[in-house]
Amino acid sequence: MKGLFTRRNLIRWGLLLLLAWTSVGLLLLRFHGGITVDDVATLEPERPWLAALILLGLFLLKSVDFLLHIGVLFAASGQLFPLAFALLLNLVGLCIASIPAYLVGRTAGPSLLKTLLDRYPKLTLIQGGRNAPGLLPATLLRGIDLPLQIVGLYLGVCRCPFGRYLLSTLLGIAPSLTAYTLLGRTSADPVSGPFPQGPFGYAS
């Protein structure tokens, strides 16, 4: 695991972030500042494999973007694909969207931890701020009204073991993931604007 945090990999990650941010800017310009379920669903409706790749790319963009609500991607997947495949695709996408923030947190120093705790005091509601939380507290953190990236940064800088981090993320966001996927699957008139706060307290 230590090999992930070398200087060379950090440089590569910085370049990936730059590319992702550029793509986010172009997408926001393309969709006039907001991306809806309909926008994603009409990107490539006739080629499912390409639509799946586009969605996974958007999940990567979500890893660095605080404006795009991940529920839009969950619902778009439910609208485009059979339910079982949509749920699987969304689980993969969630991993893609949540791992980068953890890796950045792992490479950061104590100053980032102090900044996070000062700016987001909710991080200390589950467990004292400087120790890596156990599986249950880490899972409960995903139910607090905090952005996906902020919790990832916090658990990374606290040196939460990677397996525990990933499992807690999947468990904590599974209710929202399932709800949005079913919404996209069953809704005859998908939401025409950006998604509001998630039904389980998961913000973005």
Side-chain angles (χ1 to χ4, degrees):
M1 194 62 192
K2 291 182 179 179
L4 290 173
F5 310 118
T6 63
R7 181 178 179 83
R8 179 177 296 180
N9 283 340
L10 189 58
I11 292 173
R12 289 173 179 170
W13 174 239
L15 293 175
L16 181 61
L17 286 178
L18 179 61
L19 176 62
W21 271 116
T22 302
S23 301
V24 168
L26 292 175
L27 278 172
L28 290 177
L29 287 175
R30 165 70 173 79
F31 294 115
H32 308 290
I35 301 177
T36 70
V37 176
D38 283 335
D39 293 330
V40 177
T42 56
L43 284 175
E44 195 57 54
E46 296 180 357
R47 286 182 255 178
W49 62 269
L50 186 54
L53 288 178
I54 290 173
L55 274 172
L56 291 179
L58 289 173
F59 276 111
L60 176 60
L61 298 184
K62 172 58 191 170
S63 71
V64 295
D65 176 45
F66 287 80
L67 300 178
L68 172 62
H69 196 291
I70 200 169
V72 171
L73 304 181
F74 291 155
S77 179
Q79 184 176 343
L80 285 169
F81 304 107
L83 181 59
F85 183 79
L87 289 170
L88 178 61
L89 184 68
N90 284 340
L91 287 172
V92 174
L94 176 59
C95 292
I96 291 174
S98 58
I99 288 175
Y102 171 84
L103 296 179
V104 172
R106 283 294 298 262
T107 60
S111 59
L112 176 59
L113 178 59
K114 184 178 185 305
T115 299
L116 289 173
L117 294 178
D118 288 344
R119 186 167 182 180
Y120 301 96
K122 290 181 180 180
L123 290 169
T124 62
L125 290 177
I126 303 299
Q127 181 172 321
R130 297 183 179 276
N131 299 319
L135 178 60
L136 180 58
T139 301
L140 293 175
L141 274 174
R142 290 300 185 183
I144 296 177
D145 183 18
L146 287 171
L148 180 75
Q149 298 93 333
I150 296 303
V151 177
L153 285 171
Y154 168 68
L155 293 176
V157 79
C158 286
R159 298 298 193 267
C160 179
F162 179 73
R164 184 191 305 170
Y165 168 77
L166 198 57
L167 181 58
S168 66
T169 298
L170 295 176
L171 291 175
I173 300 179
S176 288
L177 182 152
T178 303
Y180 279 117
T181 306
L182 291 173
L183 178 63
R185 186 69 183 161
T186 60
S187 177
D189 183 20
V191 176
S192 59
F195 271 59
Q197 179 171 318
F200 297 93
Y202 170 59
S204 59

